[in-house]
Amino acid sequence: MTARLATAALDTLRANALRFLAIDAVEAARSGHPGMPMGMAEIAVALWTRHLRHDPADPAWADRDRFVLSNGHGSMLLYALLHLTGYDLPLDELKRFRQRDSRCPGHPEVGHTPGVETTTGPLGQGLANAVGMALAEKRLAAEFNRPGHAIVDHRTWVFLGDGCLMEGISHEAASFAGVQRLSKLICLWDDNRISIDGDVAGWFADDTPARFRAYGWNVVERIDGHDVEAVDRAIREALANADNDIGPTLICCRTTIGRGSPARAGTAGVHGAPLGADEVAATRSALGWPHAPFVVPDEIRASFDARAHGARRQAEWQTGFDAYRTAHPALAAEFLRRQRGDLPVSWRVLSTALLRRTHNDAASIASRKASQIVIERIARALPELLGGSADLTHSNLTDWRGCGALVADPDTERPGRHIHWGVREFAMAAALNGMALHGGHLPFGATFLVFSDYARNAIRMSALMRLRVVYVMTHDAIHLGEDGPTHQPVEHLPSLRLIPGLDVWRPCDAVETQAAWNAAVTRADGPSLLALSRQALPHQARSDAQLDAIARGGYVLADADAPQLAILATGAEVALAMAARERLAAEGIAARVVSMPSTNVFERQDTAWRNAVLPPDLPRLAIEAAQPDLWWKTLAGAPRSAVLGIDRFGESAPAEALAERFGFTVESVVAAAKDLVS
């Protein structure tokens, strides 16, 4: 037997090992998606045994290649690869696929399974995550690499399917990747022509290669996805494109879904259901795989093992990094700090000082403008801060003096830090997730609050993955006025507060805006969203104790000796509450004003704090220019309570006219307060 034939035979056995680990796990769970793993097995063999640079003993190695399974329903393919290549994923975990507490959940989850780089399943978002990872790699390389010292030099690989390409986010993400010339991004398309409803010819007739060429991608077409050598040659071409920096690459691999299944191959029936005992037996016979469920012969298992190779690659990188540290010690220390996700040691002192400085400035400005001032101040202390806007830079106010634009050809002396995402809210948010997952940056992105709907599922994924991402959402209520109901958010604040793990901040002035940014930067276990005003907000005076209390999400801004009710408010409505308090005091009614910039954070406080701010026996009036229903959660337990909100869409008119139309006036607040205390 020639060496070529011996290799081909081994590759076939490797591919079948992946197939049957997936088949057996799905069969044991009586749930899952065997078709994609069966169809992409040879593609996986080509990439994972010949090209992927990784170290199973250290899944967090900084310069590893990133692998993203965008078609995450085929998760058993990834679990089989991780298990066989040597990650800490025992066979027993594969046997418990999709079961409670298994490390092999139905879709890949980052932080849950070693070697999984991102949580995928919502189709198309994995591709956009990978765009963020590739962008982070390119930006870090421009910032840290020096002649003779390429400490950041890795590829981002993506498996994706027809479903990923049908989702609109794939257009946004791929277009952006082409503009930024993310040459180290390499995607392998599982072109099997099948989705859940059947043959895609009736609903997906795009000329995908032409589409990606139009984005500025290199396209390698008509690759037999079941020929390991053909896939290998295509990958080598893609690597040459990466080395020559001529844009990302899409490899089009024609495959048969469920390959090997006599009755179901090439049909939707193998996409998302177990094969069944009879078809599993028939598939074993058809592919000549005589082994019992979950059995992989030792020689095949050994041929996958990447631990020794990974250790060598990481050791080579470490040797290079040690030389880099000798030549550039300050840069090396900064690189390691940012890879760990640590903030500078001076951050806590600086953030406190900035909060007090903002209070002393006593500026009455729009909170979006206050946010821009904060960004400029903290950007000097946090070189990892990197972000921008979805084509609303001069409305969101996300740029700052000297930031520079992030472009395809970065200035290696001073690479840009502001990203022009274009009108791509969804891809922006998903790419921010990829940047956060990659490490080395603290990413933020901006648009109007009403357009958070476009990005919502990626914001949800930020929270699900517990990522440090900051969303800057401006034009936070009807006060933007003449643009009308299409641009006036009404339901957005409460709906975003419902996302578990997302901290929503709606600051009432520049001071609370600084505090919200401080909290978002400091928070390491999840994303934050800042809802900011278009209009100027009056400065509120505070004591040092009140300044510190902002971080608790809700606090007493103004009090009385014996308050008869508490008026709760956020954002622009805090000033309204303060004005109403003065009017009520003149009429002999004592009111406490509670500013609650983040209900999410306030709810996490201990009972003693919450009761001190909102005594259970005190009537409560909540004011917010948003859909009011969620406030009843905060008002629960009070003897009497009411909410002044908006339960319908806005209108096109000047802000002052809208405030009067919807009852956001001192007179309305005073009347509601009197009703509560009478």
Side-chain angles (χ1 to χ4, degrees), residues 630-674:
L630 197 62
W631 276 105
W632 293 106
K633 178 181 179 182
T634 304
L635 302 180
R640 294 176 302 281
S641 56
V643 184
L644 179 58
I646 301 177
D647 57 6
R648 68 177 182 86
F649 294 118
E651 299 177 11
S652 178
E656 297 79 7
L658 292 175
E660 184 175 355
R661 169 65 59 87
F662 288 101
F664 289 95
T665 63
V666 172
E667 291 74 18
S668 296
V669 176
V670 168
K674 286 180 176 180

Side-chain angles (χ1 to χ4, degrees), residues 40 43 70 127 156-162 164-165 170 174 177-178 182-191 204 206-223 230-231 233-239 241-242 246-254:
M40 293 195 77
I43 301 171
S70 189
L127 169 60
T156 301
W157 305 88
V158 185
F159 281 6
L160 51 84
D162 293 332
C164 294
L165 295 178
S170 70
L182 301 180
S183 300
K184 294 178 182 177
L185 174 64
I186 302 171
C187 299
L188 294 105
W189 169 33
D190 179 28
D191 178 16
F204 184 49
D206 300 12
D207 185 343
T208 297
R211 171 187 163 191
F212 274 75
R213 286 195 181 95
Y215 294 142
W217 286 53
N218 308 290
V219 179
V220 185
E221 290 189 70
R222 294 183 291 276
I223 301 301
V231 176
R233 288 192 296 272
I235 289 174
R236 292 181 187 279
E237 182 176 340
L239 289 170
N241 294 334
I246 54 174
T249 297
L250 177 71
I251 301 174
C252 306
C253 300
R254 182 57 66 91

Side-chain angles (χ1 to χ4, degrees), residues 103-115:
R103 293 166 77 183
C104 295
H107 291 82
E109 297 179 23
V110 68
H112 188 79
T113 310

